[in-house]
Amino acid sequence: MDLEFFLSGISALSFLYYGINSLISKKMVLEYKRWGFASKRYLIAFSQIFASVGLILGFYYNFLTIIFSFLLFLMMIGAMITRIRVKDSFLNTLPSIFYAILNFIIFSLNIN
């Protein structure tokens, strides 16, 4: 198994889970409210699900990996900014940092 496949799989499964969880979890409804994105919850959740499917399809069509890993990277930059804006702890901000780095690595590995 190559590194690109492994990292893309981790990201795709994580965002699929998180996107679905954002749609059905009462805790996530409260989090989106706390972040100031209650009205954008469905849009963000479906974007995460769509991007995770894009990463999975990227196993067959490399250009999709490039596009969706970069979009997820940008989403995670936004998530980091949001976490900082609401004064979350570093520990709560760490997942967005991790996934921003992970998706930038996926993007970088596939851009060449």
Side-chain angles (χ1 to χ4, degrees):
M1 178 185 326
D2 68 345
L3 181 62
E4 297 163 36
F5 180 83
F6 178 72
L7 296 178
S8 291
I10 289 172
S11 183
L13 292 176
S14 296
F15 279 98
L16 182 61
Y17 170 79
Y18 197 83
I20 292 170
N21 197 37
S22 293
L23 293 173
I24 62 175
S25 167
K26 291 179 183 178
K27 179 182 178 199
M28 291 306 296
V29 170
L30 296 175
E31 284 293 283
Y32 276 88
K33 216 178 266 188
R34 184 174 72 86
W35 297 327
F37 291 110
S39 65
K40 307 263 189 295
R41 181 171 61 96
Y42 287 106
L43 175 65
I44 294 168
F46 283 118
S47 296
Q48 292 169 340
I49 293 168
F50 183 68
S52 70
V53 171
L55 280 182
I56 292 167
L57 291 175
F59 295 148
Y60 305 101
Y61 306 102
N62 187 57
F63 73 95
L64 292 176
T65 300
I66 294 167
I67 292 167
F68 287 107
S69 62
F70 190 72
L71 289 174
L72 287 169
F73 164 72
L74 292 177
M75 285 180 73
M76 290 301 96
I77 295 297
M80 286 189 309
I81 292 168
T82 298
R83 294 284 191 162
I84 292 167
R85 183 178 52 83
V86 299
K87 297 178 179 25
D88 275 353
S89 70
F90 177 74
L91 195 58
N92 287 338
T93 306
L94 197 56
S96 59
I97 296 168
F98 170 78
Y99 283 105
I101 293 169
L102 175 66
N103 281 286
F104 188 76
I105 291 170
I106 294 167
F107 172 77
S108 298
L109 290 172
N110 284 279
I111 196 72
N112 52 22

